[in-house]
Amino acid sequence: MTLASATPENADQTPPKLRADARRNRDKLIEIAAQAFADNGVETSLEHIARKAGVGIGTLYRHFPTREHLVEVVYRRELQNLADAADELSRTEAADIALEQWMRRFVNYMATKRGMASSLKIIASSNSTMFAEGFGRIRSSFDKLLTAAQEQNLIRKDIGQSDLMHAMSSIYSIPDTPEWRDSANRLIGLLMDGLRVQR
């Protein structure tokens, strides 16, 4: 099987004819894989992922014929979660709080992406538009939250989206240690302290 056939354009979509139990199994596998890749990297045993999801390895391979297929589905799911979080937080939280909480979720996204880095490079070679589309979705979600906070005079207006995106992206360069996520969240706190309008 070629990588192209293993990572179709609709890899993030649930196959339409799955029974309810099969759909639950697929969703659970994706959830467990995302956490495993974030914690232990992309070389995490697929048998371990299947076991944690409560299914056999055959079930995993029926849904995801290759490791790269599973990685792409997880990556697209993380992007969708970020977009959904922006919509949810903008409805339920004050604009500055929504921005901060989304930025902390972005750290979780970076942790998962970092764990999948080697496989994502392989996938990118056969799907060059995937990352451009993903980055566009992230920027759109981020801009929505930042603009709302600025329009309500909760966040400084002299900071542009590109400046803040550069600051956020630099978190990815923090050395990969067990303390990486804690350090990243401390930096988010520092960023928000500098962004909030002093009253």
Side-chain angles (χ1 to χ4, degrees):
M1 176 176 294
T2 65
L3 183 58
S5 65
T7 56
E9 291 182 1
N10 66 341
D12 59 323
Q13 299 175 0
T14 305
K17 295 183 180 180
L18 288 181
R19 300 189 314 270
D21 58 337
R23 189 181 299 268
R24 284 193 299 271
N25 286 341
R26 185 179 189 275
D27 291 345
K28 187 66 173 178
L29 284 164
I30 297 169
E31 177 186 347
I32 295 296
Q35 188 63 54
F37 294 155
D39 291 344
N40 305 308
V42 75
E43 296 306 320
T44 299
S45 161
L46 296 183
E47 288 79 4
H48 170 76
I49 291 171
R51 187 165 57 251
K52 289 277 288 185
V55 301
I57 189 62
T59 297
L60 184 149
Y61 281 120
R62 278 196 297 276
H63 290 292
F64 311 106
T66 69
R67 184 181 296 269
E68 284 75 23
H69 188 115
L70 177 59
V71 166
E72 181 172 351
V73 172
V74 168
Y75 174 73
R76 292 182 182 276
R77 171 190 178 267
E78 294 299 297
L79 288 173
Q80 185 62 51
N81 285 348
L82 274 177
D84 291 345
D87 292 337
E88 176 190 353
L89 290 167
S90 65
R91 290 193 305 268
T92 60
E93 303 289 348
D96 59 328
I97 300 298
L99 177 64
E100 179 175 6
Q101 290 190 9
W102 187 87
M103 289 165 70
R104 294 186 185 281
R105 295 191 191 195
F106 185 77
V107 168
N108 294 334
Y109 157 79
M110 284 195 290
T112 304
K113 184 179 177 184
R114 192 173 196 165
M116 301 187 299
S118 58
S119 284
L120 286 174
K121 288 179 182 177
I122 296 171
I123 293 169
S125 68
S126 65
N127 190 351
S128 59
T129 64
M130 184 175 72
F131 292 112
E133 292 169 355
F135 187 64
R137 295 183 72 182
I138 288 172
R139 288 186 68 97
S140 177
S141 297
F142 196 35
D143 186 58
K144 173 182 179 179
L145 294 167
L146 178 62
T147 299
Q150 288 176 328
E151 288 177 346
Q152 295 177 37
N153 296 314
L154 297 170
I155 295 295
R156 291 168 47 181
K157 295 182 179 180
D158 59 334
I159 303 296
Q161 186 211 64
S162 60
D163 296 327
L164 199 48
M165 281 299 297
H166 283 307
M168 290 283 291
S169 297
S170 69
I171 292 174
Y172 196 82
S173 66
I174 298 172
D176 191 6
T177 67
E179 294 78 30
W180 178 86
R181 201 186 298 251
D182 290 339
S183 181
N185 277 296
R186 284 195 297 271
L187 288 176
I188 295 296
L190 287 172
L191 279 174
M192 289 304 301
D193 287 345
L195 285 170
R196 282 193 168 95
V197 172
Q198 300 300 315
R199 299 183 184 278

